[in-house]
Amino acid sequence: MNHTIMNRQHKTLSVQVEGPENAPVIIFSNSLGTDKGMWDPQAEYFKQHYRVIRYDTRGHGKSDVMHGTTLQQLGEDVLDMMDALNISRAHFCGISMGGLTGLWLGIYYPERFSSITVANTAAKIGTQDAWLARADAVQSTGLESLVKTTHSRWFSANFDYQRNLLAQQVIQSLANTPAHGYANACRALALADLREKISSITVPTLIIAGSLDPVTTVTDAEFIHQQIKDSQLFLIEASHLSNIEQPEIFTREIKRFVESIH
């Protein structure tokens, strides 16, 4: 079922809810330039036994473009969504930008989460200058040039993305992302730096890293693993969108981790 939820800024978030109403809840958060459709393989599996919540991050998909985005606001959108759906506690899984959102939630709202899975992410993604330059470029010229080269960042040479329907849909979702929404997210990432704070996370944490990921590297994942006590690190032979490149392995590992929490 699709929902339109109002956040604390009185803007709308597009949310999809599937699975048994009284089952444990798992929330999936998309990466920069994608939408909730990127989680199709995981939703198809988990909705059998979990209440699966997927949403379009602000400025992406069918969610509103919102002026002035910060990492805190990305996290607060999740909390607003949970409150609107009467969800007191959930498992959380985010990839890339969604993973960074998960780390923020683990730092500031641990009581709301049974576990967090952070995939293909870092406590600090990229550099401030690079993100601001990308934001300005997208704002002025659009996303066309990024769309043409995105497959080289999102997928490895081992993966035949051209023959994978979901991969093609996800690349199209980048083409459909509002330039202003994408640029706002870039500016949020430019200022987001949790390297000094993640050691405070006590929520059970799984870190998934793509061994072929040029964007958020294994070294980035190992840093998170070293900082968060009792966290688990799992490597997948994939590039940046590991849940699409290796959906069975990705889903199986989340299943193993989440079931170990119960």
Side-chain angles (χ1 to χ4, degrees), residues 42-110:
Q42 288 71 44
E44 186 64 28
Y45 177 82
F46 281 104
K47 72 181 182 181
Q48 307 303 318
H49 302 289
Y50 290 82
R51 192 179 183 199
V52 175
I53 313 293
R54 294 184 277 169
Y55 69 102
D56 292 333
T57 298
R58 56 167 62 202
H60 291 65
K62 295 179 180 178
S63 291
D64 281 349
V65 175
M66 305 180 201
H67 180 70
T69 295
T70 65
L71 178 57
Q72 177 176 334
Q73 289 172 329
L74 294 176
E76 288 172 346
D77 284 346
V78 176
L79 300 171
D80 293 344
M81 178 177 65
M82 292 172 70
D83 291 344
L85 295 171
N86 296 312
I87 297 168
S88 60
R89 194 172 176 89
H91 298 279
F92 183 91
C93 176
I95 191 165
S96 192
M97 178 175 64
L100 193 56
T101 302
L103 292 174
W104 186 91
L105 291 166
I107 292 166
Y108 294 104
Y109 289 89

Side-chain angles (χ1 to χ4, degrees), residues 5-168:
I5 288 171
M6 194 84 71
N7 72 357
R8 64 191 66 189
Q9 294 174 280
H10 305 289
K11 298 291 187 178
T12 61
L13 298 167
S14 178
V15 181
Q16 187 169 352
V17 181
E18 299 166 283
E21 186 171 344
N22 296 319
V25 177
I26 183 166
I27 298 170
F28 290 96
S29 181
N30 60 284
S31 62
L32 176 67
T34 65
D35 61 25
K36 56 183 175 287
M38 75 172 300
W39 295 111
D40 281 354
Q42 288 71 44
E44 186 64 28
Y45 177 82
F46 281 104
K47 72 181 182 181
Q48 307 303 318
H49 302 289
Y50 290 82
R51 192 179 183 199
V52 175
I53 313 293
R54 294 184 277 169
Y55 69 102
D56 292 333
T57 298
R58 56 167 62 202
H60 291 65
K62 295 179 180 178
S63 291
D64 281 349
V65 175
M66 305 180 201
H67 180 70
T69 295
T70 65
L71 178 57
Q72 177 176 334
Q73 289 172 329
L74 294 176
E76 288 172 346
D77 284 346
V78 176
L79 300 171
D80 293 344
M81 178 177 65
M82 292 172 70
D83 291 344
L85 295 171
N86 296 312
I87 297 168
S88 60
R89 194 172 176 89
H91 298 279
F92 183 91
C93 176
I95 191 165
S96 192
M97 178 175 64
L100 193 56
T101 302
L103 292 174
W104 186 91
L105 291 166
I107 292 166
Y108 294 104
Y109 289 89
E111 71 280 2
R112 300 298 300 270
F113 297 94
S114 301
S115 74
I116 57 173
T117 297
V118 296
N120 301 87
T121 196
K124 169 64 178 171
I125 303 176
T127 67
Q128 180 172 327
D129 288 348
W131 283 121
L132 293 177
R134 185 187 293 192
D136 291 344
V138 166
Q139 196 88 50
S140 60
T141 63
L143 284 158
E144 185 177 353
S145 62
L146 278 178
V147 172
K148 289 178 180 177
T149 60
T150 192
H151 63 86
S152 65
R153 296 183 298 277
W154 284 0
F155 306 116
S156 75
N158 301 337
F159 179 62
D160 190 356
Y161 71 93
Q162 292 179 321
R163 293 179 181 271
N164 185 288
L165 179 60
L166 180 56
Q168 291 302 308

Side-chain angles (χ1 to χ4, degrees), residues 114-240:
S114 301
S115 74
I116 57 173
T117 297
V118 296
N120 301 87
T121 196
K124 169 64 178 171
I125 303 176
T127 67
Q128 180 172 327
D129 288 348
W131 283 121
L132 293 177
R134 185 187 293 192
D136 291 344
V138 166
Q139 196 88 50
S140 60
T141 63
L143 284 158
E144 185 177 353
S145 62
L146 278 178
V147 172
K148 289 178 180 177
T149 60
T150 192
H151 63 86
S152 65
R153 296 183 298 277
W154 284 0
F155 306 116
S156 75
N158 301 337
F159 179 62
D160 190 356
Y161 71 93
Q162 292 179 321
R163 293 179 181 271
N164 185 288
L165 179 60
L166 180 56
Q168 291 302 308
Q169 290 174 347
V170 171
I171 290 173
Q172 185 59 43
S173 72
L174 174 61
N176 294 338
T177 299
H180 191 50
Y182 186 98
N184 281 348
C186 288
R187 294 187 178 105
L189 291 171
L191 300 176
D193 187 350
L194 299 179
R195 287 174 292 185
E196 299 298 320
K197 298 177 181 176
I198 57 172
S199 61
S200 69
I201 293 176
T202 57
V203 180
T205 302
L206 170 65
I207 305 128
I208 297 177
S211 61
L212 305 174
D213 188 348
V215 180
T216 51
T217 65
V218 172
T219 300
D220 290 323
E222 288 173 340
F223 176 80
I224 299 172
H225 181 44
Q226 291 161 3
Q227 294 295 309
I228 302 177
K229 185 180 179 181
D230 297 327
S231 62
Q232 300 178 32
L233 174 61
F234 184 77
L235 299 185
I236 293 182
E237 188 176 344
S239 188
H240 193 54

